[in-house]
Amino acid sequence: MDADARETRSAELALASIQKNDLRVPALPLVAALRLEEASGVLDAEASVRVADAPWRVRFSGSWKDRAGSVAAAGPLTPALLEVARPFLPEKARPVLQLTDPVAIDATAELAPGGRPVRVVARASSGSAVAGHVPFDRAGAVLIYEPDAKRFRAEDLLLVQADSLALGRYEMNTETLDYRFILGGRLRPMAIEGWFSDWWDHFWDNFHFGPRPADAEVDIQGMWRDPNLTTVFVQAASGPMRLRGLELDSLAVRVQVAVSAFDILGFRATRGAHVADGRFHRLLDARHEHWTALGFDVRSDFPATALPAIFPEEGPELIKPFALTSAPRVRLVGEAFGPGSATPGREDYDLDLEVDSPLRYSGFPLDRLSLRLERRDATLRLRDIRAGFASGLAQGEATIDGPATDRSLSFDLKLRDADLDLVQTRWREFQATRPPQVPAKPPKTAAGAPAKDAKPLGGRIDLGLKASGPLDRPLDYVGAGVASITGADLASIRMLGPLSSLLGEIGVGFTTIKLTEADARLSLERDRLRFETLRLKGPSALVEAAGVFSLQTSDLDFKAKVRPFEQRDGILGSTADFVLSPLSRALEVELGGTLDEPTWIFAYGPKKLFRRITDSF
């Protein structure tokens, strides 16, 4: 026998059994073939072994002296084999994986001297399995284990669960169980709720995806032994779905989710022609029972009902003052504080609003509206108000302040070029929505029948009013203002009707007095409107008056001077003024009664009137 033959030995074990009691390994049936080169110390070994119910083929090639080399193994990881192998896994990793179907594994390992594994690479594919309490229908990956670095990786990761399919990679520290998932594909977030605690459910319960999962990219970082340390970044795009109570045609969103904070970094939602985009940030209290703060920066032209559909707690309060007939254009920036905060109910935000169609704000009818609403806790400031009202334009600002049980309103508003008849109509509409402060009495005519509607006046009105008072009690307001009317038939006002008859009694033969313009300086004194000056004029007459009108009872208390022919030009006017000048100075009258039953009387009786006339010559 030559030297080479003497250096090489081989052996086969056809039906053997091995057992390692100190490792608590059960007896294993073994078929093995060995080839040993004694001079070089190289050992090639192949074995077929059945562990539990799993047949495996193993091959070793390396040094038999220091047990360094490589090992290749192929076989199924069955549920029974996993239970045998589980005690040899790192203790913290043992409960992570549960199997229903076998996992096909083709693995290689690099061994350092002493048989210590340096790097293990395995290709694995499985049917049904449960990883961290999350079931999968199918999974596959290239698994890489590096014991010295205490690192386990899964490359080319495939996870299939019902209609969800994710591709990506996974990395975990086998000592600390810190991990990171990077996945992309069709995903349903609630499908992996088993990896997280209740906070995950609380967030994703708000998203109800349609028949197709969202297209998403997900970056999940955390620690298996403490789900509260998990953070999630999601970028997703979905077709038809429901966000809380709001149905959407599409939603694109970037989200950061953690145990105590939900941050929607950016979103774009559509429904029909409507678009909303922006971001939200929501914080929870330490026990995750209540929200503490909500930050937001949103642009939207969705219908106003979308806000309470998304935020059922704070949304209704935001839109409560508005009754809209079309979708507003909105920019909302600020924050609100919830029941878990030190200042529950506090709201600090800015709202820029534009509405191009009729609406009501706190019951007041408007044709259109744009404003900036600034809320600071209980104080509400309305800036840059531009409102269409009665075919005119109202501009100014207002402030609502005070405790919820006693809110006050102060405002400084100017109305330009409004339709006088529409102003009256809109005011009556507003008053009809307010609870009466005194028992309402229908207006009556002198004969006792209900009063007829006032005749159209025509004309335009400019009005400026600055006032303040209790928000819900307009009859307690105090302020001052000015007003002017042009191009109107002011003689059609009910209170001027009897004036022509009164003048006829002294021979001033007017069937009507034509008045087309007015200007006034007035003050608002709770339930009384005091006219400090009131001038009504037309082509042939001038009425100068001052007095008080009761907003509550419609009572009138005015003193006036009536000057017929005062405004007439030409020879006839000059002659009439000369002849009637003493009479004009004598026509001092008093206006009383109510707006629906006005009474005009001369300030002087017949004798005094005659004396004043004669004394004037």
Side-chain angles (χ1 to χ4, degrees), residues 191-211:
I192 55 174
E193 62 175 327
W195 289 344
F196 313 102
S197 55
D198 291 344
W199 63 268
W200 180 268
D201 296 4
H202 293 160
F203 180 79
W204 291 108
D205 271 349
N206 300 316
F207 294 80
H208 305 276
F209 295 98

Side-chain angles (χ1 to χ4, degrees), residues 125-453:
S125 61
S126 76
S128 298
V130 177
H133 307 291
V134 174
F136 291 98
D137 299 328
R138 184 160 55 94
V142 176
L143 309 175
I144 303 170
Y145 176 46
E146 297 168 313
D148 291 345
K150 296 182 174 58
R151 184 170 60 182
F152 172 76
R153 290 183 291 143
E155 303 287 351
D156 300 330
L157 181 62
L158 168 68
L159 299 174
V160 178
Q161 184 191 67
D163 55 359
S164 294
L165 184 150
L167 301 173
R169 60 188 179 89
Y170 172 82
E171 184 172 333
M172 181 179 73
N173 184 299
T174 58
E175 175 64 24
T176 65
L177 293 188
D178 292 334
Y179 71 90
R180 184 179 184 184
F181 264 130
I182 298 178
L183 303 171
R186 302 191 307 270
L187 303 173
R188 292 191 183 275
M190 287 301 291
I192 55 174
E193 62 175 327
W195 289 344
F196 313 102
S197 55
D198 291 344
W199 63 268
W200 180 268
D201 296 4
H202 293 160
F203 180 79
W204 291 108
D205 271 349
N206 300 316
F207 294 80
H208 305 276
F209 295 98
R212 186 180 185 276
D215 294 324
E217 297 178 4
V218 182
D219 187 340
I220 307 173
Q221 301 181 51
M223 180 186 294
W224 283 115
R225 64 182 177 182
D226 190 351
N228 291 327
L229 299 179
T230 303
T231 59
V232 181
F233 293 86
V234 179
Q235 180 169 307
S238 174
M241 55 90 64
R242 188 173 77 255
L243 178 59
R244 287 195 169 180
L246 182 63
E247 298 290 342
L248 298 175
D249 295 335
S250 68
L251 174 65
V253 63
R254 292 181 295 114
V255 182
Q256 178 181 355
V257 186
V259 175
S260 58
F262 307 142
D263 195 347
I264 298 180
L265 303 171
F267 77 92
R268 179 180 174 84
T270 67
R271 187 173 73 179
H274 301 295
V275 177
D277 58 31
R279 63 172 297 167
F280 294 95
H281 182 70
R282 192 178 180 103
L283 297 177
L284 301 178
D285 63 15
R287 296 183 179 180
H288 313 146
E289 295 177 353
H290 303 289
W291 67 278
T292 59
L294 173 69
F296 39 81
D297 183 351
V298 178
R299 296 178 182 85
S300 169
D301 65 358
F302 269 64
T305 52
L307 200 57
I310 298 178
F311 302 108
E313 296 173 353
E314 55 275 8
E317 182 66 23
L318 293 177
I319 71 166
K320 182 179 178 181
F322 297 95
L324 306 176
T325 58
S326 67
R329 292 186 295 277
V330 173
R331 170 77 184 276
L332 180 63
V333 181
E335 57 186 345
F337 299 89
S341 74
T343 57
R346 180 179 174 183
E347 297 175 351
D348 293 337
Y349 59 82
D350 295 337
L351 172 67
D352 293 307
L353 174 77
E354 280 189 73
V355 184
D356 294 330
S357 60
L359 71 149
R360 289 181 181 269
Y361 180 78
S362 292
F364 196 83
L366 299 170
D367 301 329
R368 62 189 182 281
L369 175 65
S370 68
L371 59 81
R372 181 178 181 85
L373 187 154
E374 300 173 354
R375 178 156 193 165
R376 300 295 179 267
D377 199 5
T379 301
L380 195 64
R381 293 184 176 89
L382 283 71
R383 309 287 196 190
D384 303 326
I385 299 173
R386 293 178 59 85
F389 176 66
S391 295
L393 176 63
Q395 295 177 276
E397 61 182 30
T399 299
I400 300 174
D401 205 353
T405 56
D406 188 20
R407 303 286 277 167
S408 64
L409 169 66
S410 60
F411 59 87
D412 185 357
L413 296 173
K414 294 178 176 61
L415 177 64
R416 294 288 181 263
D417 196 30
D419 185 298
L420 182 57
D421 291 318
L422 274 179
V423 169
Q424 295 184 91
T425 300
R426 298 290 184 262
W427 178 254
R428 286 194 295 267
E429 291 176 356
F430 173 63
Q431 289 295 89
T433 67
R434 315 294 290 182
Q437 298 190 40
V438 295
K441 296 180 180 180
K444 300 286 184 178
T445 63
K452 297 180 180 179
D453 293 336

